[in-house]
Amino acid sequence: MPEISKKGKRMPASPIRKLVPYADSAKQKGRTVYHLNIGQPDINTPEVALEAVKNYPHQVVEYSHSQGIPSLREKLVGYYKQHDIEVTSDEIIVGAGASEAILFAMNSCFDPGDEIVIPEPFYANYNSFAINAGIEVKPIFSSIDTGFALPPIAEFEKAITDKTKGILICNPNNPTGYLYSKEELETLRDIVKKYDLYLIADEVYREFCYDGNKHYSAMYLEGIEQNVVLIDSVSKRYSACGIRIGYMISKNKELMQTALKFAQARLSPPSFGQVAAEAAMDVGDDYFEANLKEYDARRKVVYESINAMEGAECPMPKGAFYVVAKLPIDDSDKFCQWLLEDFEYENQTVMLAPASGFYSTPGRGKDEVRISYVLKVENMKKSMKCLAEALKVYPGRSG
Amino acid sequence: MPEISKKGKRMPASPIRKLVPYADSAKQKGRTVYHLNIGQPDINTPEVALEAVKNYPHQVVEYSHSQGIPSLREKLVGYYKQHDIEVTSDEIIVGAGASEAILFAMNSCFDPGDEIVIPEPFYANYNSFAINAGIEVKPIFSSIDTGFALPPIAEFEKAITDKTKGILICNPNNPTGYLYSKEELETLRDIVKKYDLYLIADEVYREFCYDGNKHYSAMYLEGIEQNVVLIDSVSKRYSACGIRIGYMISKNKELMQTALKFAQARLSPPSFGQVAAEAAMDVGDDYFEANLKEYDARRKVVYESINAMEGAECPMPKGAFYVVAKLPIDDSDKFCQWLLEDFEYENQTVMLAPASGFYSTPGRGKDEVRISYVLKVENMKKSMKCLAEALKVYPGRSG
């Protein structure tokens, strides 16, 4: 029997999915499990997007353009213009989710052995994509004590070697909920310029900014237009995770021509998803305003509840719909499993994501969890009550 | 400005897409262009598949299981059973097209520097996927003179080195239309066993076998069950290229667990496409019988027309809907461009794929083209007439 690839052996199993059998087993016992472990919103996909798919006019579902349906890319130009991002339809490649867009970007920018710097904690799959592309992630530490702000320049400079070819950020941030300021982005620009790096900016949570804060895109940065790669997705924006439509965007023509070769090899992105994505842009501001209001209320429940628990704390998230909370626990992997396997409060429990999975430095995040506030306020309250009760009786409680 | 990746520089631009601007320009001149260059069938997607999408019952288009919707995989078990292939739903991973399934397979089986042997001419994107995964393709020559039969064992053994970790075949074959016999598959089994290789078998054209020939699957081979990876797709089977649903199938548990980690990293395959793929399996045998009859008629037009042209020849294709034809020309890239740029017959012309793009050995295929017989008989006849007239006046005619 031939060997499995070394690359495949290095691929991490998802830290969240390991817990799925325990969640299933809790449900089999008749328990309500609140899923705060994944970024699957409960918000309806816009009716206009679903309707467009239902009115699909063709008798043959043909390949679309490898770069994406032209009318979709044309309409995206208008969407970005509303966000003061000037792009042309040629500067956009449609992918099967942001996931594929990130792979296009990594494969076009980096070779095996190259290094990219990512502030940790970071979205766990960045590491998987990096392994897929054969590149090395060099994490730099962003701390809960500063609310997960961008680490100082000195930390970047310590991590940068002659193999470093890029920096990747997620803004607003998954898992921390942090929203990078204009000043932080400008700091990044200086580093990117000084070391001539690619800056991959994952901005899929652009619309999810609270307290009146405005999102500052990496596309605004002057002087590094050829270095910036924007990653985007409709999954969260329109609560349409399953349609698998994301975007790789860059003003760097040579890079886009290269990425297009990867896109052409896989022929085309999903047709129905593109139809839905194009129509979804017709939703009015009221869709986003209503959602933001809803998420804001959920956010406040989490923030207030966590900080009211003895020994627990979290910063007020400024964007996305996640927060990383510090809990008085010995080991978040054990704790999250225990919640599903051994705990119940009024026949309910809660599923969280151990933050260890979001750090690439071993040992970090052991007393932290990521909470996705994707359930309605009433359920968020119930799940926070569960968590509070759980912390009172968890055998591995510390402090 | 940072460098483009070496991997990206090595990625070939599609040999077919280079011709697209010339086709567009021919159309702007008011010419009819018969597209025999790509495998985009004109057959309708089954109504039952389109209806299922139109009846999508959910208000939120959620992520599906990373491995694919369970009911789709369960139903596939029944589909394969009808083809005497015994698999369980755990032995199937749903990908965004066969393209993604091939990438899962390559990344799980092979590491950068590993080599795979592929009989050439072969589907051009195999080379792109190999570059993506960092692996080297070692082509062995299958000749039009033997109708593109499997090369003899000696040719395989010459190509196999200590870096060789797999063989990839496409059966029925794109681009040649060749259908491998049971005996040829058993020869492959012996080689795979002797050298302990993976055998990746792309069988997306399973239903397209002519003259009463039966498809012999790599999954039938005894003694190499842990080595075989089946690649499949609904694109051609149900003329649903745009839904982007394909499959990676293997009985090798460790391999499937590894591939699943790649699948989990990208979260899920497209939801609407999976709904369509599941429903499409409800089409009756009459759908395939009608299509096969139609393709068979088209095939005969091509075979008879080509072999009636002076200096031109092609074998009778036994499967898929392609044929590689040898033409009396100096250079198929030039010829295919000339057809679009400088030729017209009664204001019509034809777009073909230069076969050079299907060989990885430089210089091969210069007097060959791939013809996809994906147009209705009347148009196939018109396009063959165009080709015959073109060969009479092509300035680079040889022989």
Side-chain angles (χ1 to χ4, degrees):
Chain A
M1 192 170 123
E3 281 273 295
I4 300 297
S5 69
K6 294 180 201 81
K7 186 189 270 193
K9 285 180 187 161
R10 279 187 64 198
M11 278 291 281
S14 159
I16 299 165
R17 285 170 208 271
K18 275 190 290 187
L19 295 173
V20 170
Y22 300 104
D24 290 345
S25 149
K27 283 177 220 166
Q28 273 161 18
K29 289 180 203 154
R31 280 181 201 158
T32 300
V33 178
Y34 296 109
H35 281 267
L36 307 184
N37 56 304
I38 52 165
Q40 172 59 63
D42 62 348
I43 305 283
N44 279 358
T45 308
E47 193 56 34
V48 68
L50 295 172
E51 275 304 308
V53 172
K54 288 175 187 185
N55 293 324
Y56 185 78
H58 308 292
Q59 292 303 304
V60 188
V61 189
E62 296 191 358
Y63 291 121
S64 72
H65 284 236
S66 296
Q67 191 167 356
I69 295 173
S71 58
L72 165 59
R73 286 183 286 119
E74 286 299 338
K75 203 161 167 183
L76 278 166
V77 170
Y79 163 80
Y80 286 111
K81 210 177 176 69
Q82 285 173 1
H83 290 271
D84 303 317
I85 296 170
E86 298 287 333
V87 288
T88 67
S89 62
D90 284 344
E91 294 166 348
I92 302 169
I93 293 176
V94 181
S99 300
E100 190 180 53
I102 290 172
L103 283 173
F104 289 157
M106 285 187 172
N107 279 314
S108 305
C109 295
F110 311 126
D111 279 301
D114 288 348
E115 297 175 358
I116 54 165
V117 174
I118 315 182
E120 71 177 354
F122 58 78
Y123 177 57
N125 288 322
Y126 293 155
N127 194 40
S128 301
F129 299 136
I131 291 170
N132 191 322
I135 61 177
E136 299 292 324
V137 172
K138 296 287 156 180
I140 56 173
F141 183 55
S142 70
S143 169
I144 196 169
D145 299 333
T146 58
F148 299 107
L150 192 73
I153 291 189
E155 291 302 310
F156 279 93
E157 298 205 316
K158 263 192 262 174
I160 290 171
T161 73
D162 57 359
K163 290 182 180 169
T164 308
K165 264 192 84 179
I167 295 173
L168 193 164
I169 58 160
C170 179
N171 181 32
N173 193 273
N174 174 7
T176 67
Y178 190 78
L179 180 71
Y180 292 103
S181 67
K182 183 183 177 199
E183 291 65 34
E184 286 172 298
L185 264 293
E186 286 172 347
T187 299
L188 271 174
R189 178 196 53 202
D190 296 343
I191 302 167
V192 161
K193 208 167 177 177
K194 178 170 174 189
Y195 295 95
D196 198 21
L197 306 175
Y198 285 110
L199 175 60
I200 300 180
D202 177 348
E203 301 184 353
V204 305
Y205 297 98
R206 178 178 304 111
E207 275 81 1
F208 301 90
C209 297
Y210 306 103
D211 306 321
N213 285 308
K214 209 178 136 32
H215 179 252
Y216 195 85
S217 173
M219 296 294 282
Y220 299 162
L221 295 169
E222 284 174 19
I224 57 166
E225 290 82 357
Q226 299 298 305
N227 306 59
V228 171
V229 180
L230 178 65
I231 300 295
D232 213 338
S233 165
V234 305
S235 291
K236 316 293 168 163
R237 182 167 305 143
Y238 306 113
S239 191
C241 299
I243 72 170
R244 311 313 298 130
I245 298 296
Y247 311 114
M248 171 188 170
I249 296 172
S250 172
K251 304 196 89 67
N252 183 326
K253 279 197 186 358
E254 191 187 357
L255 185 67
M256 291 305 279
Q257 278 161 7
T258 302
L260 188 54
K261 293 191 287 180
F262 287 93
Q264 286 174 345
R266 64 64 164 128
L267 305 171
S268 74
S271 292
F272 292 126
Q274 290 183 88
V275 167
E278 185 172 336
M281 281 185 273
D282 290 335
V283 293
D285 287 342
D286 52 332
Y287 180 82
F288 295 110
E289 281 160 19
N291 290 348
L292 199 67
K293 201 174 153 193
E294 173 64 26
Y295 279 114
D296 184 40
R298 297 171 179 187
R299 173 180 76 120
K300 285 170 179 160
V301 171
V302 175
Y303 174 76
E304 282 158 21
S305 306
I306 293 288
N307 288 290
M309 295 173 202
E310 202 190 316
E313 60 170 313
C314 72
M316 177 63 112
K318 293 186 279 184
F321 39 67
Y322 307 99
V323 66
V324 169
K326 192 170 180 169
L327 303 179
I329 52 173
D330 56 344
D331 181 319
S332 55
D333 287 272
K334 276 192 213 162
F335 176 66
C336 292
Q337 183 177 329
W338 173 87
L339 279 172
L340 297 166
E341 209 178 8
D342 298 312
F343 175 78
E344 55 95 13
Y345 172 74
E346 296 180 351
N347 211 26
Q348 307 160 99
T349 191
V350 59
M351 188 170 181
L352 304 173
S356 54
F358 300 98
Y359 287 89
S360 80
T361 305
R364 278 195 181 140
K366 275 181 96 88
D367 59 352
E368 293 172 4
V369 294
R370 184 191 72 174
I371 297 170
S372 310
Y373 43 96
V374 290
L375 304 183
K376 54 172 86 86
V377 166
E378 186 196 339
N379 289 336
M380 286 309 306
K381 281 183 182 165
K382 286 183 189 165
S383 62
M384 287 299 108
K385 177 67 178 163
C386 276
L387 179 59
E389 293 300 321
L391 287 174
K392 290 180 192 165
V393 295
Y394 176 55
R397 186 181 169 102
S398 66
Chain B
M1 190 170 124
E3 280 273 296
I4 300 297
S5 69
K6 293 181 201 80
K7 186 189 271 192
K9 285 180 186 161
R10 276 188 65 199
M11 279 291 281
S14 160
I16 300 166
R17 284 169 208 271
K18 275 190 289 187
L19 295 173
V20 170
Y22 300 104
D24 289 345
S25 148
K27 282 177 220 165
Q28 275 162 17
K29 289 180 203 154
R31 280 180 202 157
T32 300
V33 178
Y34 296 110
H35 280 267
L36 307 184
N37 56 305
I38 52 164
Q40 171 59 62
D42 61 348
I43 305 284
N44 279 359
T45 308
E47 193 56 34
V48 67
L50 294 173
E51 275 304 308
V53 173
K54 287 174 187 185
N55 294 324
Y56 186 78
H58 307 292
Q59 292 303 305
V60 188
V61 190
E62 295 191 359
Y63 291 121
S64 72
H65 284 236
S66 296
Q67 191 166 356
I69 295 174
S71 58
L72 165 59
R73 287 184 286 119
E74 286 299 339
K75 202 161 168 184
L76 278 166
V77 170
Y79 163 80
Y80 286 111
K81 209 176 176 71
Q82 285 173 3
H83 291 271
D84 303 318
I85 296 171
E86 298 288 332
V87 288
T88 67
S89 62
D90 284 345
E91 293 165 349
I92 303 169
I93 294 176
V94 181
S99 300
E100 191 180 52
I102 291 172
L103 282 174
F104 289 158
M106 285 187 171
N107 279 315
S108 304
C109 295
F110 311 125
D111 278 302
D114 288 348
E115 296 174 358
I116 56 165
V117 175
I118 316 182
E120 70 177 355
F122 58 77
Y123 176 58
N125 288 322
Y126 292 155
N127 194 41
S128 301
F129 299 136
I131 291 170
N132 191 323
I135 61 177
E136 297 293 325
V137 173
K138 296 287 156 178
I140 56 172
F141 183 54
S142 71
S143 169
I144 195 169
D145 299 332
T146 58
F148 299 108
L150 192 73
I153 291 190
E155 292 302 310
F156 279 93
E157 298 204 316
K158 264 192 262 176
I160 290 172
T161 72
D162 56 358
K163 290 182 179 170
T164 308
K165 265 193 85 178
I167 295 174
L168 192 165
I169 58 159
C170 179
N171 182 33
N173 192 273
N174 174 7
T176 67
Y178 190 78
L179 181 70
Y180 291 104
S181 68
K182 185 185 177 199
E183 291 67 33
E184 285 173 299
L185 264 293
E186 286 172 348
T187 299
L188 271 175
R189 177 195 52 201
D190 296 343
I191 302 167
V192 162
K193 210 168 176 175
K194 179 170 174 189
Y195 295 95
D196 198 21
L197 307 174
Y198 286 110
L199 175 60
I200 301 181
D202 177 347
E203 302 185 352
V204 306
Y205 297 98
R206 179 178 304 111
E207 276 81 1
F208 301 90
C209 298
Y210 306 102
D211 306 323
N213 284 308
K214 208 179 136 30
H215 180 251
Y216 195 85
S217 173
M219 295 294 281
Y220 299 162
L221 296 169
E222 286 176 17
I224 58 165
E225 290 81 358
Q226 299 299 304
N227 305 60
V228 171
V229 181
L230 178 65
I231 300 295
D232 214 338
S233 164
V234 305
S235 292
K236 316 294 168 162
R237 183 166 305 142
Y238 306 113
S239 192
C241 299
I243 73 172
R244 311 311 299 131
I245 296 297
Y247 311 114
M248 171 187 170
I249 296 172
S250 172
K251 304 196 88 67
N252 183 325
K253 279 196 186 357
E254 191 187 357
L255 185 66
M256 291 305 280
Q257 278 160 8
T258 303
L260 188 55
K261 293 190 288 180
F262 287 93
Q264 286 174 346
R266 64 61 163 130
L267 304 170
S268 75
S271 293
F272 292 126
Q274 290 183 88
V275 167
E278 185 173 336
M281 281 185 273
D282 290 335
V283 293
D285 288 342
D286 52 332
Y287 179 81
F288 295 110
E289 282 160 18
N291 289 348
L292 199 66
K293 201 174 153 192
E294 172 64 26
Y295 279 115
D296 184 40
R298 296 171 179 186
R299 173 181 76 121
K300 285 171 179 160
V301 170
V302 175
Y303 174 76
E304 283 159 21
S305 306
I306 294 288
N307 287 291
M309 295 173 203
E310 203 189 317
E313 60 171 312
C314 72
M316 177 62 112
K318 293 187 281 184
F321 39 67
Y322 307 99
V323 65
V324 170
K326 191 170 181 170
L327 303 179
I329 53 173
D330 56 344
D331 181 318
S332 55
D333 286 273
K334 277 192 212 161
F335 176 67
C336 293
Q337 183 176 328
W338 174 87
L339 279 172
L340 297 166
E341 208 177 9
D342 298 311
F343 175 78
E344 55 94 14
Y345 171 73
E346 295 181 350
N347 211 26
Q348 307 161 98
T349 191
V350 58
M351 188 170 182
L352 305 172
S356 54
F358 301 99
Y359 287 89
S360 80
T361 305
R364 279 196 180 139
K366 274 182 95 89
D367 59 352
E368 293 172 3
V369 293
R370 184 190 71 174
I371 297 170
S372 310
Y373 42 96
V374 290
L375 304 184
K376 53 172 86 89
V377 167
E378 186 196 338
N379 289 336
M380 287 309 306
K381 282 183 182 165
K382 285 183 188 164
S383 63
M384 287 299 107
K385 177 69 178 163
C386 275
L387 179 57
E389 294 299 320
L391 286 174
K392 289 180 192 166
V393 296
Y394 177 55
R397 186 179 169 102
S398 66

